[in-house]
Amino acid sequence: MSDIKKRLSLLKVEKRIKGLKGIKDVHFLTTKPKEIAWYAGELNPIDSPIPCLYEFPVDLATKDLSRSIQSLVDNRSQFILVLWEFSPIYVLFQMESLDDFLPSYFSEFFTRDLTLFFQDQEKVLDLHLAEDKVEVRVLENKAKNR
């Protein structure tokens, strides 16, 4: 992708991220950050290599959904959001409130998917909103040698 297209994509993302609630300390990257270099796969919910672990009803209240997701992230707050539609763009941020973040994300990006990498451990949380349920996939790098 040309530098001009990358810059335009980045500007679009920056503008839309400003509309999100419940996050702070936001940084943008157009190259894959070292924190997620361990993941070589493609996170595409249509043909995802990660099996679905949890399903929640789509009509679950945002507070209940965010509480369920919060239990999966072990109260972690540093994440990397990957926006695939923009070539991809990596957004590093601190989560202040999932209750505020989730509705603003799904309204601002008009997407049914959310991919969150943990900044401090080799783990990814992938959400896909199907017609009647929210599918949750979690992948952890268990093969790391540290």
Side-chain angles (χ1 to χ4, degrees):
M1 181 183 287
S2 73
D3 285 342
I4 292 172
K5 284 185 180 179
K6 273 188 184 180
R7 186 69 189 139
L8 284 173
S9 290
L10 186 59
L11 289 172
K12 284 181 191 175
V13 168
E14 286 176 352
K15 181 179 178 189
R16 292 168 91 181
I17 291 293
K18 285 181 182 176
L20 297 182
K21 296 179 174 116
I23 63 173
K24 67 178 185 177
D25 299 332
V26 179
H27 304 281
F28 301 92
L29 297 172
T30 55
T31 57
K32 192 176 196 177
K34 66 180 182 340
E35 293 92 344
I36 64 171
W38 64 274
Y39 187 78
E42 181 70 29
L43 283 176
N44 182 340
I46 295 169
D47 44 48
S48 177
I50 304 173
C52 181
L53 288 182
Y54 306 98
E55 290 182 356
F56 302 106
V58 77
D59 58 357
L60 194 65
T62 302
K63 229 177 193 29
D64 295 328
L65 179 60
S66 63
R67 193 175 305 119
S68 300
I69 293 169
Q70 192 67 50
S71 70
L72 296 174
V73 301
D74 299 326
N75 294 319
R76 297 257 195 288
S77 64
Q78 301 289 329
F79 295 100
I80 299 171
L81 170 65
V82 182
L83 299 169
W84 302 103
E85 67 184 285
F86 293 99
S87 71
I89 302 285
Y90 304 92
V91 183
L92 289 71
F93 65 93
Q94 181 175 344
M95 182 80 67
E96 291 184 305
S97 168
L98 263 170
D99 289 346
D100 295 335
F101 173 76
L102 288 175
S104 66
Y105 175 83
F106 291 124
S107 66
E108 187 67 37
F109 283 96
F110 308 108
T111 182
R112 302 178 70 81
D113 304 307
L114 173 63
T115 304
L116 290 176
F117 282 86
F118 292 58
Q119 282 190 42
D120 61 347
Q121 72 182 97
E122 294 183 355
K123 188 173 180 180
V124 63
L125 176 74
D126 188 50
L127 302 177
H128 173 69
L129 283 105
E131 290 299 317
D132 59 345
K133 62 189 171 201
V134 178
E135 299 174 348
V136 181
R137 293 169 173 80
V138 179
L139 177 70
E140 195 166 357
N141 185 8
K142 298 184 188 296
K144 68 180 182 181
N145 297 321
R146 288 190 178 190

